[in-house]
Amino acid sequence: MENTKTKKLRSKKGAERTANTVIYIVLIVISVIWLLPFFILIIQSLRGEPGMSTSYFFPKTWTFDNYVRLFTETQFLTWYGNTLLVSVVVTIVQTIIVLMTSYALSRLRFKMRKPLMNLMLILGMFPGFLSMTAIYFILKEMSLTQSLFGLMLVYTGSSAMGYYICKGFFDTIPKSLDEAARIDGASRHTVFIKIILPLAKPIIIYTILTSFTAPWGEYMFSSFLMLGDPSKFTVAVGMKDWLSEENVNQYFTVFCAAAVVVSIPITALFIWLQKYYVEGVTGGSVKG
Amino acid sequence: MVDLEYLKKSPWEKFAFNFTNYFKKLPSRLAAFFKSIPKLFVALWHKILSMFGLIGHAAKEGDWKTRLSFGIMGFGQVTRKQYLRGILYFIFEVVFIFYMVFFGWKYLVKLGSLGETAMIEVWDEAQGIYVYEFYDNSLLILLYSILTILIMCAFVCAWYQNIKGSITAQQILEAKQHLADTKDDIKALADSAYHKTLLSVPMLGLTVFTILPIIFMIFIAFTNYDTVHMPPKELFSWVGLENFVTLFGGGLSANSKVFANTFGSVLLWTIIWAFFATFSNYFLGMIVALMINKKGIRFKKLWRTILVITIAVPQFVSLMLMSQLLADQGLINRLLLSWGWIDDPIPFLTNGNAAKATIIIVNIWVGIPFTMLICTGILMNIPADLYESARIDGASPVVAYMKITLPYMLHVTTPYLITQFIGNLNNFNVIFLLSGGEPINNNLQYAGETDLLITWLYKLTVNQQQYGIASVIGLVTFVIVAVFSLILYNRSGSVKNEEEFM
């Protein structure tokens, strides 16, 4: 009896071990698949041979020329500056707007609350690009096309619609905290500033992180708005141009170098703030 | 079925039960939805009636101050020491009148025709050339007319509020109660009226950059705004439902057939794409999360960080890189050729069906890290004692997965799945940056084989300037998304009854 039990345990342990080994192998394969493109990106950015691709994996000549070309021959630095400026301003404005909207919709009770939420739900179902033509002409009337300020307006204009995740977080903060403060005579404004905001640090960081990274990857609006003025491009628009058929042979390695330069700070930021990002994503997705 | 029977079922059966039940109830829920629309109008009608009732009441019962407010907004407030409100109402009225007289009116009267003369040639003696003088611009007429209508609505609301406020103030004073003065009003903005303070700026942005443009584009769908009707040189005009007819193949021109054909195939691919992109990511991401979180697996943080890196690298970088690596002359094909594994380049992105498969696979690569993160968070929330008791009852890990993990995950993440599905219907970046909608197919009008509705809309707008048709496609996309949300979003189900799962 005793014997069979230990045998069973031992065999179970053995099965467990094989299962774990298989999982480790799969995880390693996955890691390689997921990291390989970025590895290729770095290698290609250091490739000395020109052209879009080579028939061998590792370049024959290693060089930093692509980085030098990136900063001397191209307008990349301008684009980088543009994108940085836009994303910093967008981050500040968007975070404030999202926090205000979320607090109002989560904590305050007023007649238009439900209709407003339904309205934003319905507006969110329209494809974003549909309104671009109209926005373009509105901005043109204000002579703000091909201007970074116009782009900032486009990015921040409807940021109220991104309130879902933040409101979901505010909803989880116990109401009794507000009530206690209100009994002590605090106004709703005081409650927001002194009680809710300090507790909302994770979601504030999440909002900052997502709104900061969005302009770096946004192509649809910025390409339309900045059409024809390369000095106002964001990195995404400018770099896409390098991959057009007539440019790709000349600029592919430069593109890789630019991609590395763009990715490093954002990746560092993400890894640093990973915890908050995960919290925001998981919290928001479950509540919907 | 009684509750007890339901509770006896295994989680898996419960899920199946809820699933079938959901689709059984679908027709009645849709019917209820459409029945609720007339109800909404009835409610609105009653609201308007009650508003007129109040105006009548104010006209009958109001004193001279209230009655003067009918013409001079804010008069009733100012004379009752509510200076701030009164002055704001008055300023709004003056600005509104100036706006209408000097600006809004000009555009509004032309809304019916969208302008008569676009431009005329004038002989300029001094320079000795013909110069163009521009008159009506259909685009601006439409844009400013909509703006004017919105402002008029705002004015009507303000006017009504002004009367209502005036008569209420009068009644409060008649009852010898305290009437809020300017100081109270300012204080209220940080407290009982705090929502006005918080929401005014966000709502202004929303109106100018979302609501106004959407209304504008809805109107554009009923015009012939395209390359040959391009303001300011040309006018465009109302064409009724012509664009809709063209898109759905009812038009007489050969163009219409091609458009209908394109629309059908783009729509089909959009839905197929959204389905596969959503579910492949979901299940594979969940499996990866399960593997990383399995008991006994070490370096959990390392595996997670590796995947998070791929989220951190801006998506356009990874997508554009992939599009180059997978090109016919890209690195992967060159490598495979030089190793002698293949004789001809694999048409990853140049053959229609291959491109579709490639896009879905690359999307898995892009999307799994997100799903993995989300699933990790939820998996940790599954009560450990569930697994414990399953283990004691002799359930194998596979059984535990099928009976506990999967039903739980499906139950909790349904809202996420739906938003993902809807997001994928409008996923611009993946398609546009990866394949650009290509390969080109000559049977399709301005669209490639992998174009979604949204990228087709982009091409029609930016490259072809077919604004009328593009707006129709935008509206159709909206209807599709709305229908899917309506069918899929079971508010009464997983969202509200989160605790009911066990």
Side-chain angles (χ1 to χ4, degrees):
Chain A
M1 183 74 186
E2 189 81 289
N3 216 352
T4 49
K5 214 174 190 180
T6 42
K7 236 183 208 169
K8 235 185 190 173
L9 263 178
R10 205 171 289 156
S11 74
K12 215 173 181 187
K13 249 186 188 164
E16 181 95 11
R17 201 169 295 155
T18 24
N20 281 359
T21 320
V22 171
I23 288 177
Y24 277 126
I25 292 169
V26 173
L27 283 178
I28 289 168
V29 171
I30 285 177
S31 305
V32 170
I33 294 176
W34 254 260
L35 289 181
L36 192 62
F38 301 113
F39 186 61
I40 294 177
L41 187 74
I42 294 170
I43 287 180
Q44 297 286 319
S45 76
L46 298 170
R47 168 154 65 90
E49 304 94 292
M52 166 186 159
S53 61
T54 51
S55 52
Y56 38 87
F57 191 81
F58 288 102
K60 297 206 165 120
T61 42
W62 298 84
T63 169
F64 276 105
D65 265 7
N66 297 319
Y67 290 88
V68 177
R69 271 179 73 196
L70 179 66
F71 288 107
T72 52
E73 278 177 34
T74 70
Q75 286 177 291
F76 179 72
L77 211 58
T78 322
W79 302 339
Y80 200 89
N82 289 345
T83 319
L84 191 67
L85 180 70
V86 169
S87 49
V88 167
V89 175
V90 167
T91 305
I92 295 168
V93 178
Q94 195 160 350
T95 308
I96 293 172
I97 289 184
V98 165
L99 287 173
M100 293 199 308
T101 314
S102 314
Y103 177 76
L105 293 176
S106 164
R107 281 308 210 268
L108 306 177
R109 290 291 173 270
F110 47 97
K111 239 199 304 183
M112 291 304 284
R113 195 180 84 99
K114 268 276 153 69
L116 208 60
M117 283 164 69
N118 286 336
L119 175 75
M120 286 202 260
L121 187 74
I122 292 170
L123 289 178
M125 291 174 187
F126 282 96
F129 191 74
L130 176 68
S131 49
M132 192 56 222
T133 329
I135 294 178
Y136 183 80
F137 291 113
I138 294 173
L139 291 175
K140 204 169 170 187
E141 279 302 293
M142 303 195 272
S143 33
L144 284 176
T145 47
Q146 297 188 341
S147 95
L148 293 176
F149 183 64
L151 190 63
M152 292 172 198
L153 279 181
V154 174
Y155 286 160
T156 50
S158 43
S159 31
M161 310 238 296
Y163 73 91
Y164 293 98
I165 290 178
C166 192
K167 177 187 173 284
F169 184 88
F170 284 167
D171 286 342
T172 61
I173 299 176
K175 281 229 164 96
S176 51
L177 283 177
D178 306 30
E179 278 151 20
R182 306 256 313 136
I183 289 169
D184 289 346
S187 70
R188 290 184 172 88
H189 177 69
T190 321
V191 171
F192 179 42
I193 301 289
K194 294 262 169 73
I195 296 176
I196 303 289
L197 281 188
L199 287 173
K201 191 182 151 205
I203 210 70
I204 295 175
I205 292 178
Y206 171 79
T207 315
I208 290 175
L209 193 60
T210 44
S211 48
F212 182 79
T213 48
W216 295 88
E218 204 285 323
Y219 179 82
M220 197 165 64
F221 286 103
S222 45
S223 65
F224 191 54
L225 204 61
M226 302 305 176
L227 208 65
D229 187 356
S231 70
K232 297 285 164 54
F233 280 179
T234 59
V235 280
V237 182
M239 286 166 64
K240 173 93 165 76
D241 217 31
W242 287 339
L243 296 185
S244 64
E245 248 162 75
E246 58 272 23
N247 286 342
V248 69
N249 272 320
Q250 201 188 342
Y251 281 110
F252 180 69
T253 47
V254 179
F255 166 84
C256 292
V260 171
V261 174
V262 170
S263 303
I264 285 174
I266 295 181
T267 310
L269 201 67
F270 249 88
I271 293 176
W272 178 40
L273 299 172
Q274 190 184 342
K275 195 182 108 201
Y276 300 104
Y277 184 74
V278 174
E279 247 171 70
V281 168
T282 39
S285 63
V286 178
K287 275 168 224 110
Chain B
M1 185 163 51
V2 284
D3 288 350
L4 200 63
E5 276 175 58
Y6 177 77
L7 288 173
K8 266 190 207 158
K9 287 172 181 269
S10 74
W12 200 217
E13 282 168 337
K14 275 184 197 169
F15 176 74
F17 172 75
N18 285 336
F19 191 77
T20 48
N21 213 18
Y22 171 75
F23 280 98
K24 264 187 218 155
K25 279 185 186 161
L26 205 58
S28 66
R29 275 226 323 282
L30 280 178
F33 172 77
F34 286 112
K35 264 182 212 158
S36 71
I37 295 176
K39 257 187 214 161
L40 207 74
F41 280 103
V42 171
L44 200 71
W45 178 241
H46 280 290
K47 176 99 193 158
I48 291 170
L49 280 186
S50 81
M51 280 167 82
F52 275 108
L54 186 122
I55 293 169
H57 172 75
K60 222 194 307 176
E61 309 284 326
D63 55 8
W64 64 280
K65 291 174 188 167
T66 307
R67 285 187 190 165
L68 256 180
S69 301
F70 276 76
I72 306 170
M73 279 170 63
F75 189 79
Q77 278 82 358
V78 171
T79 47
R80 293 188 182 94
K81 290 186 183 158
Q82 295 182 314
Y83 298 112
L84 183 71
R85 286 192 204 191
I87 289 167
L88 284 179
Y89 277 129
F90 187 69
I91 291 175
F92 185 51
E93 185 179 13
V94 171
V95 169
F96 175 74
I97 291 171
F98 270 92
Y99 172 84
M100 285 307 285
V101 169
F102 293 105
F103 191 81
W105 187 249
K106 278 190 300 193
Y107 290 100
L108 205 55
V109 287
K110 288 178 188 158
L111 181 61
S113 63
L114 290 175
E116 267 128 32
T117 327
M119 59 171 191
I120 48 172
E121 280 182 341
V122 184
W123 177 253
D124 188 332
E125 282 292 342
Q127 293 179 46
I129 47 164
Y130 278 107
V131 290
Y132 294 104
E133 278 181 15
F134 293 105
Y135 287 92
D136 293 340
N137 184 333
S138 310
L139 196 88
L140 295 182
I141 291 173
L142 186 56
L143 191 63
Y144 287 131
S145 296
I146 295 169
L147 184 69
T148 308
I149 292 170
L150 285 182
I151 290 176
M152 281 164 73
C153 290
F155 178 74
V156 171
C157 289
W159 184 78
Y160 171 74
Q161 288 297 333
N162 146 59
I163 306 240
K164 191 179 168 193
S166 193
I167 186 82
T168 338
Q170 180 192 335
Q171 281 161 351
I172 289 174
L173 285 181
E174 276 165 8
K176 300 254 181 332
Q177 280 166 341
H178 174 70
L179 182 67
D181 57 12
T182 304
K183 219 192 215 167
D184 296 327
D185 280 343
I186 291 175
K187 225 186 241 167
L189 282 179
D191 204 10
S192 60
Y194 193 39
H195 60 273
K196 289 179 188 162
T197 323
L198 287 181
L199 290 177
S200 52
V201 173
M203 287 311 123
L204 184 71
L206 200 67
T207 313
V208 176
F209 286 99
T210 309
I211 298 177
L212 180 63
I214 285 178
I215 298 176
F216 178 80
M217 292 318 286
I218 292 174
F219 280 113
I220 287 288
F222 300 95
T223 69
N224 59 358
Y225 182 19
D226 56 24
T227 29
V228 278
H229 301 93
M230 195 66 119
K233 286 192 179 149
E234 308 280 341
L235 297 164
F236 58 79
S237 54
W238 300 110
V239 293
L241 291 172
E242 202 178 278
N243 293 326
F244 290 84
V245 173
T246 307
L247 189 65
F248 294 122
L252 296 170
S253 61
N255 217 358
S256 173
K257 283 242 162 58
V258 186
F259 255 118
N261 204 352
T262 314
F263 176 66
S265 78
V266 171
L267 177 64
L268 184 69
W269 161 236
T270 305
I271 292 172
I272 292 176
W273 145 260
F275 180 83
F276 278 103
T278 311
F279 286 96
S280 61
N281 270 350
Y282 182 67
F283 286 108
L284 293 173
M286 185 157 62
I287 289 172
V288 174
L290 282 170
M291 288 197 293
I292 293 179
N293 289 300
K294 187 178 177 295
K295 241 190 214 163
I297 297 291
R298 296 173 68 190
F299 316 120
K300 287 187 168 42
K301 201 158 180 213
L302 172 76
W303 306 120
R304 227 171 284 155
T305 307
I306 287 174
L307 289 181
V308 169
I309 288 176
T310 52
I311 301 182
V313 174
Q315 223 184 51
F316 82 95
V317 167
S318 30
L319 288 172
M320 286 201 274
L321 176 73
M322 277 303 198
S323 78
Q324 292 308 309
L325 293 183
L326 294 168
D328 279 356
Q329 290 304 313
L331 184 71
I332 292 178
N333 269 324
R334 295 275 301 266
L335 279 181
L336 292 177
L337 280 172
S338 74
W339 292 338
W341 290 12
I342 51 172
D343 295 325
D344 299 302
I346 302 172
F348 287 114
L349 292 169
T350 43
N351 171 300
N353 290 330
K356 287 176 181 175
T358 310
I359 287 171
I360 290 176
I361 290 169
V362 172
N363 185 61
I364 290 175
W365 177 74
V366 172
I368 276 191
F370 283 99
T371 332
M372 185 275 301
L373 276 183
I374 286 161
C375 291
T376 306
I378 298 166
L379 285 173
M380 286 174 184
N381 287 338
I382 301 183
D385 51 345
L386 269 184
Y387 290 106
E388 190 66 17
S389 47
R391 204 178 53 83
I392 290 168
D393 288 348
S396 70
V398 177
V399 172
Y401 173 77
M402 294 302 281
K403 299 236 157 156
I404 300 171
T405 318
L406 198 56
Y408 186 91
M409 292 295 291
L410 281 171
H411 184 86
V412 177
T413 52
T414 311
Y416 168 74
L417 265 179
I418 295 164
T419 40
Q420 273 307 93
F421 184 83
I422 287 162
N424 276 327
L425 285 175
N426 278 329
N427 197 332
F428 179 85
N429 263 9
V430 170
I431 302 288
F432 194 78
L433 297 179
L434 199 56
S435 72
E438 291 182 1
I440 293 162
N441 183 335
N442 287 333
N443 296 324
L444 302 179
Q445 185 90 342
Y446 309 129
E449 292 216 24
T450 56
D451 264 321
L452 300 181
L453 285 171
I454 180 88
T455 53
W456 191 30
L457 173 65
Y458 179 90
K459 286 181 177 174
L460 280 174
T461 311
V462 176
N463 305 339
Q464 309 298 334
Q465 278 135 359
Q466 301 268 354
Y467 297 103
I469 289 275
S471 299
V472 177
I473 293 171
L475 288 184
V476 170
T477 314
F478 164 72
V479 171
I480 290 166
V481 170
V483 166
F484 269 109
S485 330
L486 204 67
I487 293 176
L488 294 174
Y489 233 115
N490 189 357
R491 278 252 164 223
S492 57
S494 69
V495 183
K496 278 188 186 160
N497 303 345
E498 220 152 292
E499 291 82 1
E500 222 179 54
F501 167 69
M502 291 316 148

